[in-house]
């Protein structure tokens, strides 16, 4: 397969992820969209690593996967706390928790 195909797939995933972050108000869907963005980055890293025959791309992709796992753990904990306090995971109500 060509590099262009991987880059096109990555760009589509990235655009879907950005749309999900900007358009959604549900906390879980925003976290899923962030995961799509991180997966698009991983595809780019692995594709360019394979193109240059270097393992650096795969190593950075593993670090990105570790960061994504930590982000999911912290993000879901925050969403659960918001749900416990507000009985909703609508992100537009978060500003009501100031104070």
């Amino acid at each position: 397969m060509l590099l262009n195909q991987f880059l096109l797939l990555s760009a589509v995933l990235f655009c879907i992820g950005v749309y999900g972050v900007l358009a959604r108000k549900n906390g879980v869907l925003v976290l899923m969209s962030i995961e799509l963005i991180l997966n698009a980055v991983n595809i780019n890293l692995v594709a360019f690593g394979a193109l240059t025959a270097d393992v650096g791309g795969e190593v950075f992709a593993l670090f990105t996967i570790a960061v994504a796992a930590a982000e999911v753990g912290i993000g879901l904990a925050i969403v659960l706390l918001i749900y416990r306090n507000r009985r909703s995971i609508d992100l537009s109500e978060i500003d009501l928790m100031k104070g």
Side-chain angles (χ1 to χ4, degrees):
M1 294 183 76
L2 298 174
L3 179 66
N4 293 342
Q5 295 169 338
F6 289 111
L7 294 180
L8 183 65
L9 172 66
S10 177
V12 168
L13 280 177
F14 189 83
C15 290
I16 292 170
V18 168
Y19 173 74
V21 168
L22 296 177
R24 301 291 179 197
K25 293 184 181 182
N26 189 338
V28 176
L29 292 178
V30 170
L31 288 175
M32 288 174 52
S33 298
I34 292 172
E35 290 297 320
L36 278 176
I37 292 172
L38 290 173
N39 284 332
V41 170
N42 284 338
I43 291 172
N44 275 338
L45 288 171
V46 171
F48 282 116
L51 178 70
T52 60
D54 187 23
V55 293
E58 286 86 358
V59 170
F60 281 122
L62 285 174
F63 283 127
T64 307
I65 291 170
V67 167
E71 175 258 331
V72 165
I74 302 278
L76 285 177
I78 291 170
V79 166
L80 285 174
L81 284 173
I82 291 170
Y83 180 75
R84 194 178 327 171
N85 290 334
R86 288 279 170 202
R87 295 290 176 214
S88 172
I89 52 176
D90 189 11
L91 294 180
S92 63
E93 296 179 5
I94 289 180
D95 62 343
L96 300 175
M97 296 179 67
K98 288 188 220 176

